[in-house]
Amino acid sequence: MSTGRDFLDRYYQLLGAGDIDGVVAMYEPGAEIVRYDGVAGTPDEIGGYFRTFLAQHPGFALRSVDQLREHDDVLMWDALVDTDNGLLQTVHVVTLGEHGLIRRHIPGMRGYWGR
């Protein structure tokens, strides 16, 4: 991926299409998703994380990227996402490997306006 915005466009395109395999392919071997409730550290676990996330937030579609910061191998962004259950405000931090694939991902939610 050449820029942070290109990266985000691809990430949200794949998630919006429910293409779990495509999202998992954005992670390098040995990558991790780090959350308070645990770490997803294999392709199967990363895929499981996204399957669960999309099941909990059906109708997932990017509304806007409100902030994006790129520095060396780090991307940080805040985004608003529409779902069938309401608006979701997310925050993400990723570090990228030398080939532009995710090495470590820390996802989070700042707000949720459910219906």
Side-chain angles (χ1 to χ4, degrees):
M1 305 284 170
S2 60
T3 69
R5 188 60 209 209
D6 292 340
F7 179 90
L8 293 183
D9 288 345
R10 181 76 176 142
Y11 177 80
Y12 285 108
Q13 174 190 16
L14 293 168
L15 278 176
D19 184 350
I20 301 301
D21 291 337
V23 174
V24 171
M26 294 182 73
Y27 289 77
E28 67 181 25
E32 298 176 322
I33 296 177
V34 180
R35 307 172 322 263
Y36 285 116
D37 64 346
V39 175
T42 68
D44 286 341
E45 291 170 348
I46 291 169
Y49 166 79
F50 284 108
R51 276 188 288 283
T52 298
F53 180 83
L54 291 178
Q56 292 172 341
H57 306 285
F60 183 94
L62 178 65
R63 178 183 285 196
S64 64
V65 173
D66 298 325
Q67 294 186 73
L68 171 61
R69 174 73 172 155
E70 301 176 61
H71 181 73
D72 294 330
D73 64 344
V74 177
L75 291 177
M76 299 171 54
W77 73 91
D78 291 0
L80 289 176
V81 178
D82 289 308
T83 73
D84 292 347
N85 299 323
L87 187 62
L88 182 65
Q89 184 182 25
T90 64
V91 58
H92 298 265
V93 177
V94 299
T95 58
L96 302 174
E98 68 179 87
H99 299 291
L101 298 175
I102 298 169
R103 178 179 27 216
R104 185 156 291 126
H105 181 182
I106 303 168
M109 287 188 278
R110 285 199 173 160
Y112 177 64
W113 295 271
R115 294 186 178 138

